[in-house]
Structure formats: structure tokens, C-alpha cells
Amino acid sequence: MEPLQRCRQRYSGLVLLFKLLGTLWGAQAGPISYSIPEELGKGSFVGNISKDLGLEPRELAEHGVRIVSRGRTQLFALNLGSGGLVTAGRIDREELCAQSARCLVSFNILVEDKLNLYPIEVEILDINDNAPQFLREELEVKILENAAPSSRFPLMEVYDPDVGMNSLQGFKLSGNRHFSVHMPAKAHGPKYPELVLDGALDREGEAIYHLVLTAMDGGDPVRSSVARILITVLDVNDNAPVFSQPIYSVSVPENLPVGTPVLSVNATDQDEGVHADITYSFVRISKIFCLNNLTGEISTSASLDYEDSTYYELDVEARDRPGLQDRAKVLITVLDVNDNVPEVVVTSGSRSVAESTPPGTVIALFQVYDQDSGLNGLVTCSISRSQPFELEKSVDNYYRLVTNAVLDREQISLYNITVTATDKGVPPLSTEMLISINVADTNDNPPAFPQSSYSVYVPENNPRGASIFSVTAHDPDSDENAQVTYSLAEDTIQGAPLSSYVSINSDTGILYALHSFDYEQLRDLQLRVIAHDSGDPPLSNNVSLSIFVLDQNDNAPEILYPALPTDGSTGVELAPRSAEPGYLVTKVVAVDRDSGQNAWLSYRLLKASEPGLFAVGLHTGEVRTARALLDRDALKQNLVVAVQDHGQPPLSATVTLTVAVADSIPDVLADLGSLEVPQDSDASGLTLYLVVAVTSVSCVFLAFVIVLLALRVRRWYTSRLLQAAGGELPHVSASQLVGVDGVKAFLQTYSHEVSLTADSRKSHLIFPQPNYADTLISQESCEKKDSLLTSIDLYECKDEMQSIQQAPPNTDWRFSQAQRPGTSGSQNGDETGTWPNNQFDTEMLQAMILASASEAADGSSTLGGGAGTMGLSARYGPQFTLQHVPDYRQNVYIPGSNATLTNAAGKRDGKAPASGNGNKKKSGKKEKK
């Protein structure tokens, strides 16, 4: 027990010494070195790896420290608790290193988070755990009796896997006087002791010898083994076989085919006969080579592999038939051939990298191997230069794959990196390994619309909740960074929030109408659609959207003149019997709230009591005589005029006109007197009413002439004030100045007009109030006092009008003859006139007409002659005012004439207009030129 205890103390001291030397060496030369004796149990302490790495034991797991090794069973492990390097199992030095003088085990320690490698070397120290072993325990040796003293006879092989002093050190032969044992000096490998003949033999004296051979090593304690040797003394055979050379050497490539001869050994025997018959054999059977026992030819029986073994040593024996023998050594060197392709093994790394990763980030760590040697095993790695990656060489054939540029997932989301490893053999061999790197998305792109703006056209009267448009924004990012939601920017339309008009589906981008749009109220909507993605932080973009409401034919024409009287009677138009063909009897004035083609109106005579007597202008609405009036034509003519737009489907309205055929009012009265008087009591007072009417008209006419003269003087005085004040009339409203010249011409020509109602049981006359050229009286200040309109306080009305503050008139409202829309009827030609091409002008005019018509319908703007008239005539009273409508004098005609009033120098039925001061011709002369 004491020698064993001393041995352990020696090894413990050696371990501490080797650790100290390993620590000092690692601090200076790079690799961390340790040394341990073999045959230690599992978990035995090897070295304090945490201290040598400069880490605390608890930091080993945090930094991902682990052992990286290849090609062998894992021999060592890390104790993360103590920070020490321990054995993973029993280590047999002889199994690892065989007869090598020094046994080193190398591996690497990887710090995972930093991707750093630290080389480790552990030296395995030999202990005397193996005794010398004989190849055979019994051996027969035949010796000629005439063998000379000092002759040597090879014995069986003795092998001790230990090294140094623990290996075979000597032999001991059992006591005899003829033989001794000798061991040739040999550095390593199997040893063959030799039997030495010390004295001459005498077969007759002793033919057989039994010897015991003991082999001993130099360990502590000493280990030994024994073998039995049977020596037979033969009869004289003077010569043994002799090889031509003691050592045969040859070099062969590793790719030599199986069965190829390597070399031949040759031995000769000087004896004759059976004593010279030689056979060859291997002392030790070889699995790689075979020997022809007759010829001595050595050939391969299996494939050679330089990576398994680079050198073979064979012992060949030549024996003659009596048993004499000789031995020779055959040394076969295997030459390396570049027959192994390099290998690439990824040790660590990530297969996904964010596109925001900065250049220089380590993506993967891999190692390359080549089992060949020399240049055949020297490997270089490369990748394509067209990709944003590069290789950096690390220690021990390790390479790092790093980025060298900023990545963009929207351009390339997946990189297939081909790593090519090539050795420097001839010819060179290479291998390729594919590393796929996914580029992870970051929210670096806002949603984008394909267009900078959109225009949407929606027909009016659309159903509520209907989808009217769809917008789509594309986000090149992925996952939630590409999930787009839509919303509308806050805004107000006509005082109401935009969200009450339209809404948008936040997921699909479909726009819905929450209202049924009305073109006459709302022409267009301007809004902004905002697209947000779901990234962190979210990005957004917006696009402008214009919604244009398209007009539909949903409004029938509205007849402004002749307006139906409020008492249910029908106005009467006057046509003198002397009227020539083409005489302008009256004009139907209508408007349509729609626009464009839906508002283009055409007029036609739907029904007439006397067909062929009257004709209606297709585009003007002017009712003219189609032929000369005859005496046989009835006094009362009923006409039904239809006004139709050009929409799809077209809408229409009708108006009934009553035309009285007579040259003058007295003629009308006379004709009416000549009519058959109804027999009922209500008709008995007709004559009295007519007389009173004529008297009243005459009185009103005289009063009108007097007032007109007074207004003329006042107008002259006002014009002088206007010139002195630079054209500014602060107290005169726009309605008092609009269309003065044209209206005055009409007033100077006609002082009064008559309207007959022939549909009532009592035909009666309505005498309109006088018309004034200089002042238009608003109904708000002057209201009608009596249905017969027998008197009016002109001065009181005029003073009230002057007290109303209004803005100065805008001179831009007047239209030239070419600019007036088709509804004005002022174009040349009744039937051949064309509709206006400028829809914008038409729509503006219609909008102003509609605004005025709305006010007129409420009875807010009248000037004598009944509700809703302009103050020009009781029978020419369209329900709008000059205060709101830009110059509709083209819609006013002069009874008894084929001319139509205009505000510009345009043609009236093909004739030049009158002067600016009005037409001074009397009514009786207009048709009788």
C-alpha cells in the first residue's frame, strides 16, 4: 500500500506542476494547457476553466460557454457550478494515442454570445496500467546442432502499450547454461526478443530444452508476463534462408486499386534439395496486405486510406523445409492523394436578421475541414461578392459570416448564401454549402396610394349606404407592418361634418354614401383618405379624393310665365286681327333645375282651338301667328303649350294660354259685347262692369303719364348726382338700376295692357299698376291693396325702397347675345337655333333663375300686376325679380310686335335694336309699318 500511496502523491505533484506550467504557457502562447493522468474516473477535475477565461462560474451559463470538438467522443465536460473542466468518462491513453511519446487532446471552448473561441490542450499522462504481453504463450524453436555459439534466434513478439518507464524494460530466462535472451534496442512499437546460443549443442546429449521467458516493465510496481519456449535441436542443416536485404521500403499512393502488387521479397538458401525449398509468410497477419508464400510478392488486399494510416511496417519470414528461417522488414509509406472534399460545418448563428441590422453584424460561425494533408488539406472559403455579406477568418479554420451593408427586406427578403470551400490540391476539390438568411421586417415604409388624387363621379339620387368608390394603399412591409387601415380626415361640408355624408370601411377602403346626394344642392365633395399601417410606430399617408355629383333628370321644367293667377282665372293674351304671319303674341318662359342636357328645353304646341293659326318656337317658346288672322277666326283662342327637357327619360310641363283676337281694347270690349250673353243673372251686369273698367283704365293711364314725367325729371337729377359722386349711389339699390333702359323703352311704348279672363262666369278686366322705368318696387315695402289695383302710393313706395341699403350693382351679370343660354329664346331663328355648348354658362344661368324662382314662389318679390310679377306687366309676370336674376329682359316681349326686349345690341327677329333710351314708337304702329 505504501508504494501505491507514494505513486499517487507523485502524480498529484505532477498534476499541480503541469497545471501551473499550463497556466503560464496559456498566458503567454495562446492555448490553455492542462495535464491529467489516464484512467481518472468520470467527473474528475481537470482545470479551473472559468478562472482561465476570466469569468465567474455563474457567468459560464450566461455567456453560453460550451465545448466545441469534432471527430471523437466527448472526453471532457464543463461543470457550470464550479467553473471547472472535468472528465466526461474514463480516459485510456493507449486507446487515444497508442505508442506516441506524448498524448495531447485538443478542443475549443466557445463563448456563445461573443462568438469567441479559446483553444484548449490536455495532456494525458501515462500510468503503468498494462503488463507486457507475448503474442503467443508457447513457442517452438528448432536449432541445428552445429549452430555456432552466439547465434541468435528470434522469439515471439512482446508488446507493452505503456510508454516510457512503464513500457517493456527487460527479459529474464529460466536458468540453463546454453541459452540467454537479448532484446534489440528499439524506440517504440513491438519488440522481438532474441534467443542467444551461449554454447555448442549436442543433439545426442540433449535434444529438447524447456525454457520459461519472463518479460518485465519498469513501472512501479513492476508488471510482467511469461511465455514457454520449446527448443528442439535439429540435425545439421548448415545454411538458413537469407533475404537479399534486411529492410524493404516502398511508397504507394492511397488510391491504389485493391490487388495491386506493392513489392516482392526474396530470400536464398545455399543448401540443396529440400533444405533449399523456401516459403514466405508474415510474422503478423495483415488485413491490408497479402503475401504470396511461394513468390514473396506483397499486394494490397484492401483499400488504402492515408487519413487512416500513413505508414505500414511488415515482418516477412523466409523458412526452408527443415525449418531454418530468416526475417526481413517491409516498410510501406502511403502517399496522400487529394481524394477528400472539404467539409463546412455551421457551429452557431442565426438564420434570421432584422433589416435594420448595422453593417458588421456577425450572422453565423462555421468551421471547415479537409482530411487530406499538406496542400491537399489547406482550405480557403469564399462567398459571392454580389451579396451584402463577407467572411472573416477566425482561429482554427473558423470563419465568421458578417454583413457589410444595410439590408432592405422590401428589395430582397431572403438571401441564399453559397459558401464555397476549396482545397489547394491538384486538382483542387471544393464543396458548397447553402446558408439561407431571412431578412426580418421593420416598419420603414408608409402605405402608398397608386395615384396622388382620385376623382369619383356619382349620379345624384344614389341609394343610401351604397358603395361609391374603393381606394387601396399598398405597404411593402410584411405582417402587421403591412396591415393598412383607412380613415377620413375630419372636415365639414355645408356646416355639417364630413362623416355625415360619407364613410369608409377601415379594412377594405370601400367608400359608402350616407346620403342620397342632390345635384341641385351639392355639386362636389373634397375629402382626404388617410391610410395607417399597424407597425410600431405606425406610419401613414393620405390621398385627396374629389367626389363629383352627376346630374340626373329628376326635375320637370317649371313654367315661370305665364303664371297661373291665384284666383283660378286664366290670363288673356292680345293678338290684333291685323297681325301678319310671324307676329309675336306672347312668350312662354320656363326653367329646369337640372343642368346640361337635362335642362335643355324645347317648346311645342300641344293643342290649339284653331290648328295652324299659331306656332311655338322650338327653342324660344315664342308664340307667333303662323298665318294672317281672318274675320272668321274666333275671338278666344285656347292654346296648350308643352315644355319638355332633353333628359332620359324626358320630363315635361304644360301651360294653357288664352289669346283674344282684337285690334284694341275697345275692339275686345266690342267683341265681348257681341258675344252671346249668358241668360243667367250673373251675366246681366257685364256691360256695367265693362264701362267701369274702361273708365278706370283711362284714369289710370292719365295718372301714369303724370307720374312718368315726374320720374323722368327725377332720373335726370339722379344721373347728375351720379356723375358728380363718381358713379356711386349709396342709397340706391341694385334692383332700382338694373335694366332701366330696356324697361323704359317698353314703358314709353305701352302705358297699359289688359288681361281678359274668359274662363270665369263673369268676364272681367284686370287693370295692372303702372310700370316705372327707374324704380322697381319690392313687395316687402309696397303690397297690393286690392285685386283690381286701382291706386298706389308711388311716392311712399319709392321712399321706402330708397331707405333699403344694398350693395352697388355688379356690371358683370349682363350676357351678350351670343352668351345667352337656349332658354332665353334670343337666338336668331325660331326652329333652327342650337343649344348652347357651354354647359357651365347654362348651369350658372339656371342656378340664378332657380334662386329667383324660389323667392318668387314665396311671394317675396312682386311689383304690381299680381303676385310674383316683375312689375312690367300683369300678364308678363314670371315669378322672379330683376334684383336676383341677371337681365331677363330677353324674356319680355312687346305685345303687338315681333321684337323681344334685350339688354344689349342684339337682333330682334332679325332687326336692329332700338336706341338705349327706349323705343318711342306707339303700339299701333309696330305691326303696321
mmCIF file with all atom_site columns, all heavy atoms in Angstrom, residues 121 187 204 232 235 263 303 505 532 538 546 576 585 603 607-608 731 843 861 887 910:
data_model
loop_
_atom_site.group_PDB
_atom_site.id
_atom_site.type_symbol
_atom_site.label_atom_id
_atom_site.label_alt_id
_atom_site.label_comp_id
_atom_site.label_asym_id
_atom_site.label_entity_id
_atom_site.label_seq_id
_atom_site.pdbx_PDB_ins_code
_atom_site.Cartn_x
_atom_site.Cartn_y
_atom_site.Cartn_z
_atom_site.occupancy
_atom_site.B_iso_or_equiv
_atom_site.pdbx_formal_charge
_atom_site.auth_seq_id
_atom_site.auth_comp_id
_atom_site.auth_asym_id
_atom_site.auth_atom_id
_atom_site.pdbx_PDB_model_num
ATOM 1   N N   . GLU A 1 121 ? -5.684   22.513  -24.687 1.00 0.00 ? 121 GLU A N   1
ATOM 2   C CA  . GLU A 1 121 ? -4.876   21.301  -24.844 1.00 0.00 ? 121 GLU A CA  1
ATOM 3   C C   . GLU A 1 121 ? -4.769   20.597  -23.484 1.00 0.00 ? 121 GLU A C   1
ATOM 4   O O   . GLU A 1 121 ? -4.430   21.217  -22.473 1.00 0.00 ? 121 GLU A O   1
ATOM 5   C CB  . GLU A 1 121 ? -3.461   21.635  -25.335 1.00 0.00 ? 121 GLU A CB  1
ATOM 6   C CG  . GLU A 1 121 ? -3.405   22.102  -26.787 1.00 0.00 ? 121 GLU A CG  1
ATOM 7   C CD  . GLU A 1 121 ? -1.991   22.363  -27.259 1.00 0.00 ? 121 GLU A CD  1
ATOM 8   O OE1 . GLU A 1 121 ? -1.057   22.238  -26.420 1.00 0.00 ? 121 GLU A OE1 1
ATOM 9   O OE2 . GLU A 1 121 ? -1.836   22.688  -28.437 1.00 0.00 ? 121 GLU A OE2 1
ATOM 10  N N   . ALA A 1 187 ? 13.014   2.057   -30.451 1.00 0.00 ? 187 ALA A N   1
ATOM 11  C CA  . ALA A 1 187 ? 12.392   3.229   -29.818 1.00 0.00 ? 187 ALA A CA  1
ATOM 12  C C   . ALA A 1 187 ? 10.959   2.946   -29.404 1.00 0.00 ? 187 ALA A C   1
ATOM 13  O O   . ALA A 1 187 ? 10.543   3.259   -28.292 1.00 0.00 ? 187 ALA A O   1
ATOM 14  C CB  . ALA A 1 187 ? 12.442   4.436   -30.758 1.00 0.00 ? 187 ALA A CB  1
ATOM 15  N N   . GLU A 1 204 ? 22.781   -35.357 -29.431 1.00 0.00 ? 204 GLU A N   1
ATOM 16  C CA  . GLU A 1 204 ? 22.820   -36.656 -28.771 1.00 0.00 ? 204 GLU A CA  1
ATOM 17  C C   . GLU A 1 204 ? 22.851   -36.504 -27.241 1.00 0.00 ? 204 GLU A C   1
ATOM 18  O O   . GLU A 1 204 ? 22.330   -37.351 -26.502 1.00 0.00 ? 204 GLU A O   1
ATOM 19  C CB  . GLU A 1 204 ? 24.034   -37.444 -29.241 1.00 0.00 ? 204 GLU A CB  1
ATOM 20  C CG  . GLU A 1 204 ? 23.911   -37.962 -30.683 1.00 0.00 ? 204 GLU A CG  1
ATOM 21  C CD  . GLU A 1 204 ? 24.048   -36.876 -31.728 1.00 0.00 ? 204 GLU A CD  1
ATOM 22  O OE1 . GLU A 1 204 ? 24.539   -35.748 -31.411 1.00 0.00 ? 204 GLU A OE1 1
ATOM 23  O OE2 . GLU A 1 204 ? 23.592   -37.066 -32.876 1.00 0.00 ? 204 GLU A OE2 1
ATOM 24  N N   . THR A 1 232 ? 14.065   -27.379 -29.887 1.00 0.00 ? 232 THR A N   1
ATOM 25  C CA  . THR A 1 232 ? 14.365   -28.690 -30.476 1.00 0.00 ? 232 THR A CA  1
ATOM 26  C C   . THR A 1 232 ? 15.659   -28.580 -31.261 1.00 0.00 ? 232 THR A C   1
ATOM 27  O O   . THR A 1 232 ? 15.786   -27.720 -32.141 1.00 0.00 ? 232 THR A O   1
ATOM 28  C CB  . THR A 1 232 ? 13.229   -29.132 -31.415 1.00 0.00 ? 232 THR A CB  1
ATOM 29  O OG1 . THR A 1 232 ? 12.001   -29.155 -30.673 1.00 0.00 ? 232 THR A OG1 1
ATOM 30  C CG2 . THR A 1 232 ? 13.520   -30.493 -31.989 1.00 0.00 ? 232 THR A CG2 1
ATOM 31  N N   . ASP A 1 235 ? 18.954   -31.829 -36.700 1.00 0.00 ? 235 ASP A N   1
ATOM 32  C CA  . ASP A 1 235 ? 20.162   -32.369 -37.335 1.00 0.00 ? 235 ASP A CA  1
ATOM 33  C C   . ASP A 1 235 ? 20.752   -31.299 -38.220 1.00 0.00 ? 235 ASP A C   1
ATOM 34  O O   . ASP A 1 235 ? 20.094   -30.291 -38.538 1.00 0.00 ? 235 ASP A O   1
ATOM 35  C CB  . ASP A 1 235 ? 19.826   -33.622 -38.133 1.00 0.00 ? 235 ASP A CB  1
ATOM 36  C CG  . ASP A 1 235 ? 21.073   -34.472 -38.395 1.00 0.00 ? 235 ASP A CG  1
ATOM 37  O OD1 . ASP A 1 235 ? 22.108   -34.098 -37.859 1.00 0.00 ? 235 ASP A OD1 1
ATOM 38  O OD2 . ASP A 1 235 ? 20.933   -35.430 -39.126 1.00 0.00 ? 235 ASP A OD2 1
ATOM 39  N N   . LEU A 1 263 ? 5.367    -4.850  -53.730 1.00 0.00 ? 263 LEU A N   1
ATOM 40  C CA  . LEU A 1 263 ? 6.774    -5.229  -53.918 1.00 0.00 ? 263 LEU A CA  1
ATOM 41  C C   . LEU A 1 263 ? 6.893    -6.738  -53.701 1.00 0.00 ? 263 LEU A C   1
ATOM 42  O O   . LEU A 1 263 ? 5.941    -7.399  -53.282 1.00 0.00 ? 263 LEU A O   1
ATOM 43  C CB  . LEU A 1 263 ? 7.691    -4.454  -52.969 1.00 0.00 ? 263 LEU A CB  1
ATOM 44  C CG  . LEU A 1 263 ? 7.458    -4.581  -51.442 1.00 0.00 ? 263 LEU A CG  1
ATOM 45  C CD1 . LEU A 1 263 ? 8.156    -5.802  -50.868 1.00 0.00 ? 263 LEU A CD1 1
ATOM 46  C CD2 . LEU A 1 263 ? 7.967    -3.328  -50.740 1.00 0.00 ? 263 LEU A CD2 1
ATOM 47  N N   . SER A 1 303 ? -8.468   -1.452  -49.496 1.00 0.00 ? 303 SER A N   1
ATOM 48  C CA  . SER A 1 303 ? -8.179   -0.081  -49.942 1.00 0.00 ? 303 SER A CA  1
ATOM 49  C C   . SER A 1 303 ? -7.303   0.623   -48.928 1.00 0.00 ? 303 SER A C   1
ATOM 50  O O   . SER A 1 303 ? -7.472   0.469   -47.711 1.00 0.00 ? 303 SER A O   1
ATOM 51  C CB  . SER A 1 303 ? -9.478   0.709   -50.131 1.00 0.00 ? 303 SER A CB  1
ATOM 52  O OG  . SER A 1 303 ? -10.276  0.127   -51.134 1.00 0.00 ? 303 SER A OG  1
ATOM 53  N N   . ASN A 1 505 ? -64.865  51.996  -45.085 1.00 0.00 ? 505 ASN A N   1
ATOM 54  C CA  . ASN A 1 505 ? -64.552  50.745  -44.387 1.00 0.00 ? 505 ASN A CA  1
ATOM 55  C C   . ASN A 1 505 ? -63.068  50.754  -44.053 1.00 0.00 ? 505 ASN A C   1
ATOM 56  O O   . ASN A 1 505 ? -62.217  50.838  -44.937 1.00 0.00 ? 505 ASN A O   1
ATOM 57  C CB  . ASN A 1 505 ? -64.906  49.539  -45.265 1.00 0.00 ? 505 ASN A CB  1
ATOM 58  C CG  . ASN A 1 505 ? -64.809  48.230  -44.515 1.00 0.00 ? 505 ASN A CG  1
ATOM 59  O OD1 . ASN A 1 505 ? -63.794  47.951  -43.894 1.00 0.00 ? 505 ASN A OD1 1
ATOM 60  N ND2 . ASN A 1 505 ? -65.848  47.426  -44.588 1.00 0.00 ? 505 ASN A ND2 1
ATOM 61  N N   . HIS A 1 532 ? -53.279  54.123  -42.555 1.00 0.00 ? 532 HIS A N   1
ATOM 62  C CA  . HIS A 1 532 ? -52.334  53.840  -41.466 1.00 0.00 ? 532 HIS A CA  1
ATOM 63  C C   . HIS A 1 532 ? -51.948  52.371  -41.527 1.00 0.00 ? 532 HIS A C   1
ATOM 64  O O   . HIS A 1 532 ? -52.783  51.512  -41.819 1.00 0.00 ? 532 HIS A O   1
ATOM 65  C CB  . HIS A 1 532 ? -52.965  54.113  -40.086 1.00 0.00 ? 532 HIS A CB  1
ATOM 66  C CG  . HIS A 1 532 ? -53.398  55.522  -39.882 1.00 0.00 ? 532 HIS A CG  1
ATOM 67  N ND1 . HIS A 1 532 ? -52.599  56.464  -39.262 1.00 0.00 ? 532 HIS A ND1 1
ATOM 68  C CD2 . HIS A 1 532 ? -54.542  56.174  -40.212 1.00 0.00 ? 532 HIS A CD2 1
ATOM 69  C CE1 . HIS A 1 532 ? -53.242  57.628  -39.213 1.00 0.00 ? 532 HIS A CE1 1
ATOM 70  N NE2 . HIS A 1 532 ? -54.421  57.481  -39.780 1.00 0.00 ? 532 HIS A NE2 1
ATOM 71  N N   . PRO A 1 538 ? -46.630  53.444  -35.924 1.00 0.00 ? 538 PRO A N   1
ATOM 72  C CA  . PRO A 1 538 ? -47.355  53.348  -37.201 1.00 0.00 ? 538 PRO A CA  1
ATOM 73  C C   . PRO A 1 538 ? -46.970  54.482  -38.140 1.00 0.00 ? 538 PRO A C   1
ATOM 74  O O   . PRO A 1 538 ? -46.647  55.590  -37.717 1.00 0.00 ? 538 PRO A O   1
ATOM 75  C CB  . PRO A 1 538 ? -48.821  53.436  -36.765 1.00 0.00 ? 538 PRO A CB  1
ATOM 76  C CG  . PRO A 1 538 ? -48.783  54.187  -35.469 1.00 0.00 ? 538 PRO A CG  1
ATOM 77  C CD  . PRO A 1 538 ? -47.491  53.804  -34.796 1.00 0.00 ? 538 PRO A CD  1
ATOM 78  N N   . SER A 1 546 ? -61.880  63.568  -54.778 1.00 0.00 ? 546 SER A N   1
ATOM 79  C CA  . SER A 1 546 ? -62.912  64.517  -55.211 1.00 0.00 ? 546 SER A CA  1
ATOM 80  C C   . SER A 1 546 ? -64.116  63.723  -55.689 1.00 0.00 ? 546 SER A C   1
ATOM 81  O O   . SER A 1 546 ? -63.996  62.905  -56.600 1.00 0.00 ? 546 SER A O   1
ATOM 82  C CB  . SER A 1 546 ? -62.395  65.424  -56.332 1.00 0.00 ? 546 SER A CB  1
ATOM 83  O OG  . SER A 1 546 ? -61.275  66.169  -55.896 1.00 0.00 ? 546 SER A OG  1
ATOM 84  N N   . PRO A 1 576 ? -103.901 91.308  -82.354 1.00 0.00 ? 576 PRO A N   1
ATOM 85  C CA  . PRO A 1 576 ? -104.754 92.103  -83.258 1.00 0.00 ? 576 PRO A CA  1
ATOM 86  C C   . PRO A 1 576 ? -105.077 91.313  -84.531 1.00 0.00 ? 576 PRO A C   1
ATOM 87  O O   . PRO A 1 576 ? -104.297 90.486  -84.970 1.00 0.00 ? 576 PRO A O   1
ATOM 88  C CB  . PRO A 1 576 ? -103.889 93.328  -83.548 1.00 0.00 ? 576 PRO A CB  1
ATOM 89  C CG  . PRO A 1 576 ? -102.493 92.869  -83.329 1.00 0.00 ? 576 PRO A CG  1
ATOM 90  C CD  . PRO A 1 576 ? -102.569 91.867  -82.226 1.00 0.00 ? 576 PRO A CD  1
ATOM 91  N N   . VAL A 1 585 ? -97.059  86.968  -80.291 1.00 0.00 ? 585 VAL A N   1
ATOM 92  C CA  . VAL A 1 585 ? -98.236  87.105  -79.437 1.00 0.00 ? 585 VAL A CA  1
ATOM 93  C C   . VAL A 1 585 ? -97.822  87.105  -77.965 1.00 0.00 ? 585 VAL A C   1
ATOM 94  O O   . VAL A 1 585 ? -98.196  87.991  -77.214 1.00 0.00 ? 585 VAL A O   1
ATOM 95  C CB  . VAL A 1 585 ? -99.232  85.962  -79.734 1.00 0.00 ? 585 VAL A CB  1
ATOM 96  C CG1 . VAL A 1 585 ? -100.449 86.070  -78.805 1.00 0.00 ? 585 VAL A CG1 1
ATOM 97  C CG2 . VAL A 1 585 ? -99.686  86.042  -81.190 1.00 0.00 ? 585 VAL A CG2 1
ATOM 98  N N   . TYR A 1 603 ? -89.994  73.631  -76.821 1.00 0.00 ? 603 TYR A N   1
ATOM 99  C CA  . TYR A 1 603 ? -91.401  74.010  -76.723 1.00 0.00 ? 603 TYR A CA  1
ATOM 100 C C   . TYR A 1 603 ? -92.135  73.495  -77.953 1.00 0.00 ? 603 TYR A C   1
ATOM 101 O O   . TYR A 1 603 ? -91.587  73.480  -79.069 1.00 0.00 ? 603 TYR A O   1
ATOM 102 C CB  . TYR A 1 603 ? -91.551  75.535  -76.641 1.00 0.00 ? 603 TYR A CB  1
ATOM 103 C CG  . TYR A 1 603 ? -90.781  76.175  -75.509 1.00 0.00 ? 603 TYR A CG  1
ATOM 104 C CD1 . TYR A 1 603 ? -89.423  76.466  -75.624 1.00 0.00 ? 603 TYR A CD1 1
ATOM 105 C CD2 . TYR A 1 603 ? -91.423  76.498  -74.321 1.00 0.00 ? 603 TYR A CD2 1
ATOM 106 C CE1 . TYR A 1 603 ? -88.725  77.051  -74.593 1.00 0.00 ? 603 TYR A CE1 1
ATOM 107 C CE2 . TYR A 1 603 ? -90.723  77.088  -73.279 1.00 0.00 ? 603 TYR A CE2 1
ATOM 108 C CZ  . TYR A 1 603 ? -89.382  77.362  -73.426 1.00 0.00 ? 603 TYR A CZ  1
ATOM 109 O OH  . TYR A 1 603 ? -88.705  77.940  -72.390 1.00 0.00 ? 603 TYR A OH  1
ATOM 110 N N   . LYS A 1 607 ? -101.846 71.601  -78.233 1.00 0.00 ? 607 LYS A N   1
ATOM 111 C CA  . LYS A 1 607 ? -103.263 71.626  -78.597 1.00 0.00 ? 607 LYS A CA  1
ATOM 112 C C   . LYS A 1 607 ? -103.655 73.061  -78.902 1.00 0.00 ? 607 LYS A C   1
ATOM 113 O O   . LYS A 1 607 ? -103.173 73.988  -78.245 1.00 0.00 ? 607 LYS A O   1
ATOM 114 C CB  . LYS A 1 607 ? -104.105 71.054  -77.448 1.00 0.00 ? 607 LYS A CB  1
ATOM 115 C CG  . LYS A 1 607 ? -105.591 70.983  -77.732 1.00 0.00 ? 607 LYS A CG  1
ATOM 116 C CD  . LYS A 1 607 ? -106.317 70.374  -76.518 1.00 0.00 ? 607 LYS A CD  1
ATOM 117 C CE  . LYS A 1 607 ? -107.818 70.338  -76.763 1.00 0.00 ? 607 LYS A CE  1
ATOM 118 N NZ  . LYS A 1 607 ? -108.548 69.792  -75.569 1.00 0.00 ? 607 LYS A NZ  1
ATOM 119 N N   . ALA A 1 608 ? -104.501 73.259  -79.880 1.00 0.00 ? 608 ALA A N   1
ATOM 120 C CA  . ALA A 1 608 ? -104.976 74.598  -80.229 1.00 0.00 ? 608 ALA A CA  1
ATOM 121 C C   . ALA A 1 608 ? -106.421 74.500  -80.691 1.00 0.00 ? 608 ALA A C   1
ATOM 122 O O   . ALA A 1 608 ? -106.819 73.538  -81.365 1.00 0.00 ? 608 ALA A O   1
ATOM 123 C CB  . ALA A 1 608 ? -104.112 75.229  -81.327 1.00 0.00 ? 608 ALA A CB  1
ATOM 124 N N   . HIS A 1 731 ? -77.434  105.163 -51.685 1.00 0.00 ? 731 HIS A N   1
ATOM 125 C CA  . HIS A 1 731 ? -78.785  104.917 -51.183 1.00 0.00 ? 731 HIS A CA  1
ATOM 126 C C   . HIS A 1 731 ? -79.685  104.337 -52.245 1.00 0.00 ? 731 HIS A C   1
ATOM 127 O O   . HIS A 1 731 ? -80.874  104.221 -52.027 1.00 0.00 ? 731 HIS A O   1
ATOM 128 C CB  . HIS A 1 731 ? -79.402  106.228 -50.653 1.00 0.00 ? 731 HIS A CB  1
ATOM 129 C CG  . HIS A 1 731 ? -78.616  106.807 -49.528 1.00 0.00 ? 731 HIS A CG  1
ATOM 130 N ND1 . HIS A 1 731 ? -78.540  106.218 -48.284 1.00 0.00 ? 731 HIS A ND1 1
ATOM 131 C CD2 . HIS A 1 731 ? -77.830  107.918 -49.451 1.00 0.00 ? 731 HIS A CD2 1
ATOM 132 C CE1 . HIS A 1 731 ? -77.785  106.939 -47.482 1.00 0.00 ? 731 HIS A CE1 1
ATOM 133 N NE2 . HIS A 1 731 ? -77.330  107.977 -48.166 1.00 0.00 ? 731 HIS A NE2 1
ATOM 134 N N   . GLU A 1 843 ? -75.528  76.354  -66.691 1.00 0.00 ? 843 GLU A N   1
ATOM 135 C CA  . GLU A 1 843 ? -75.788  75.986  -65.300 1.00 0.00 ? 843 GLU A CA  1
ATOM 136 C C   . GLU A 1 843 ? -75.787  77.217  -64.398 1.00 0.00 ? 843 GLU A C   1
ATOM 137 O O   . GLU A 1 843 ? -76.583  77.312  -63.458 1.00 0.00 ? 843 GLU A O   1
ATOM 138 C CB  . GLU A 1 843 ? -74.742  74.982  -64.833 1.00 0.00 ? 843 GLU A CB  1
ATOM 139 C CG  . GLU A 1 843 ? -74.867  73.643  -65.510 1.00 0.00 ? 843 GLU A CG  1
ATOM 140 C CD  . GLU A 1 843 ? -73.774  72.682  -65.071 1.00 0.00 ? 843 GLU A CD  1
ATOM 141 O OE1 . GLU A 1 843 ? -72.928  73.105  -64.282 1.00 0.00 ? 843 GLU A OE1 1
ATOM 142 O OE2 . GLU A 1 843 ? -73.794  71.537  -65.515 1.00 0.00 ? 843 GLU A OE2 1
ATOM 143 N N   . SER A 1 861 ? -91.204  88.986  -53.877 1.00 0.00 ? 861 SER A N   1
ATOM 144 C CA  . SER A 1 861 ? -90.678  89.998  -54.800 1.00 0.00 ? 861 SER A CA  1
ATOM 145 C C   . SER A 1 861 ? -91.684  90.239  -55.898 1.00 0.00 ? 861 SER A C   1
ATOM 146 O O   . SER A 1 861 ? -91.683  89.563  -56.913 1.00 0.00 ? 861 SER A O   1
ATOM 147 C CB  . SER A 1 861 ? -89.334  89.531  -55.365 1.00 0.00 ? 861 SER A CB  1
ATOM 148 O OG  . SER A 1 861 ? -88.838  90.493  -56.252 1.00 0.00 ? 861 SER A OG  1
ATOM 149 N N   . ASP A 1 887 ? -80.613  90.150  -65.786 1.00 0.00 ? 887 ASP A N   1
ATOM 150 C CA  . ASP A 1 887 ? -81.172  90.705  -67.024 1.00 0.00 ? 887 ASP A CA  1
ATOM 151 C C   . ASP A 1 887 ? -81.974  89.688  -67.811 1.00 0.00 ? 887 ASP A C   1
ATOM 152 O O   . ASP A 1 887 ? -81.485  89.107  -68.772 1.00 0.00 ? 887 ASP A O   1
ATOM 153 C CB  . ASP A 1 887 ? -80.048  91.267  -67.908 1.00 0.00 ? 887 ASP A CB  1
ATOM 154 C CG  . ASP A 1 887 ? -80.653  92.082  -69.040 1.00 0.00 ? 887 ASP A CG  1
ATOM 155 O OD1 . ASP A 1 887 ? -81.862  92.361  -68.971 1.00 0.00 ? 887 ASP A OD1 1
ATOM 156 O OD2 . ASP A 1 887 ? -79.909  92.431  -69.961 1.00 0.00 ? 887 ASP A OD2 1
ATOM 157 N N   . GLY A 1 910 ? -84.330  89.524  -86.282 1.00 0.00 ? 910 GLY A N   1
ATOM 158 C CA  . GLY A 1 910 ? -83.598  89.899  -87.481 1.00 0.00 ? 910 GLY A CA  1
ATOM 159 C C   . GLY A 1 910 ? -83.515  91.371  -87.712 1.00 0.00 ? 910 GLY A C   1
ATOM 160 O O   . GLY A 1 910 ? -83.036  91.822  -88.740 1.00 0.00 ? 910 GLY A O   1
#
